[in-house]
Amino acid sequence: MDNKLAFVLSGGGSRGALQVGALRAIYERGLQPDFLIGSSVGSVNAAYLSLHGYTQATLDQLTDVWRHASSYDLLPKNYIWLAMRSMLRRSSSDPAQRLRQFFINNGLTPDLRFGELQEPRLYVVAADLNTGKPVIHGTVEDEKVLDALLLSTALPPWFMPVKEQGAYLVDGGIVSNLPIEPALRMGATQIIALDLLDGQSVPAESSGLGGFLGRLTYAVERRHAELELELAEARGVPTLYLGLGEKTSTPFWDFQHTDEMLAQGYAAARRVLDDQQGERLLKVAGE
């Protein structure tokens, strides 16, 4: 069986900048993935790398994309108002339209299909609320990348679920925020998992609905990640886990701290890559 190294990129909104920093550290170690698979913002980073190639130049470009993301107001802070609005009617200020335009402005055009992407291969994960299972996009070369990304990032209340051929599709992070199980389904034999949550760090105390939602999200995503990591171990697939969010208290809708998170993601990845566990996986992946 051929070895396949997969980079698994979790969701986490504005914290996606952590992944860009970490990917730079991984690139410096000479590792090239056979495929990229992501949920939510992880799918966006993965798509950009697959479109342009996993190179130093592309990482520089992706860094610039993240530095300009704040000007789009991609995840407005007034999510309670958005939830009420979604029960009534949608308007021309719909955040989904801004996100779609953001993708298009960065090369992910409406006519781009998975078969046109460069190596590494790309898979995008959405969630089907009718089955409670992840849906993997990218297995059909004629499928449109932009459509898949809009499904993978459809996080309520900012974006509404999409009904499609008997499925009820939303943000992939709802059922597989760190999509290791989908990576195994796609044939991964080694995995580097870039988690924007970090299973070791409980969210800081905060009051109100925002604090409750933060802890609820943390609990669900941490449990998902633990189970997916255990599955990889049970199947004998070496997995290097990079928990990138240890020192990040920034809300996932706040895009004002990109440079800070780029540096933090790079440093966190370097620490893991340089320890004994990282060295062992690097050796296996390089064979």
Side-chain angles (χ1 to χ4, degrees):
M1 180 176 63
D2 292 337
N3 287 336
K4 288 187 178 181
L5 174 61
F7 288 3
V8 174
L9 281 65
S10 85
S14 65
R15 299 177 184 181
L18 292 164
Q19 286 175 349
V20 181
L23 286 162
R24 189 180 296 277
I26 295 169
Y27 180 82
E28 290 175 356
R29 298 301 297 266
L31 289 175
Q32 285 285 336
D34 294 289
F35 67 86
L36 299 158
I37 185 165
S39 287
S40 196
V41 75
S43 70
V44 180
N45 283 334
Y48 194 90
L49 294 174
S50 185
L51 175 62
H52 298 287
Y54 182 46
T55 66
Q56 183 70 54
T58 300
L59 289 169
D60 291 343
Q61 293 165 10
L62 186 54
T63 296
D64 288 338
V65 169
W66 272 96
R67 285 173 174 154
H68 289 94
S70 60
S71 63
Y72 283 81
D73 194 23
L74 297 175
L75 297 176
K77 291 185 294 184
N78 53 344
Y79 51 86
I80 297 177
W81 176 83
L82 285 167
M84 294 300 296
R85 189 208 64 175
S86 69
M87 298 178 189
L88 301 173
R89 61 185 179 88
R90 306 177 74 171
S91 69
S92 58
S93 63
D94 183 1
Q97 295 303 316
R98 293 199 294 274
L99 183 63
R100 184 177 189 275
Q101 193 59 51
F102 176 74
F103 291 157
I104 293 172
N105 290 350
N106 288 288
L108 300 165
T109 55
D111 58 344
L112 179 67
R113 301 175 189 273
F114 279 90
E116 300 173 43
L117 297 175
Q118 300 184 35
E119 297 294 336
R121 190 172 181 87
L122 172 67
Y123 298 106
V124 170
V125 178
D128 182 2
L129 295 184
N130 284 344
T131 64
K133 295 180 179 180
V135 177
I136 304 174
H137 299 272
T139 60
V140 177
E141 292 198 350
D142 199 45
E143 186 178 10
K144 293 181 178 180
V145 177
L146 181 60
D147 290 347
L149 288 177
L150 291 172
L151 294 173
S152 183
T153 56
L155 178 64
W158 288 275
F159 315 112
M160 296 304 296
V162 176
K163 295 180 180 180
E164 183 178 278
Q165 298 179 347
Y168 198 47
L169 301 171
V170 295
D171 188 293
I174 299 297
V175 299
S176 186
N177 193 58
L178 186 66
I180 290 174
E181 186 272 338
L184 296 173
R185 286 166 56 187
M186 294 299 100
T189 59
Q190 297 109 23
I191 291 172
I192 298 180
L194 288 77
D195 191 359
L196 299 175
L197 176 68
D198 190 326
Q200 304 303 315
S201 300
V202 178
E205 289 284 353
S206 58
S207 60
L209 179 59
F212 166 73
L213 291 176
R215 284 185 172 268
L216 177 63
T217 300
Y218 168 81
V220 172
E221 292 181 354
R222 179 172 181 175
R223 183 58 176 160
H224 285 172
E226 288 174 348
L227 292 174
E228 302 219 28
L229 286 163
E230 289 176 6
L231 179 61
E233 182 179 6
R235 295 190 182 178
V237 175
T239 301
L240 184 63
Y241 175 80
L242 302 180
L244 304 176
E246 179 181 2
K247 298 179 181 179
T248 300
S249 58
T250 302
F252 60 83
W253 56 82
D254 184 352
F255 287 80
Q256 302 297 323
H257 304 278
T258 292
D259 283 326
E260 174 186 332
M261 287 192 283
L262 288 165
Q264 179 183 325
Y266 179 85
R270 281 293 302 268
R271 285 195 297 271
V272 177
L273 291 168
D274 291 343
D275 72 15
Q276 290 185 351
Q277 179 191 11
E279 292 290 348
R280 285 196 297 271
L281 184 74
L282 290 170
K283 182 178 180 181
V284 172
E287 292 176 352

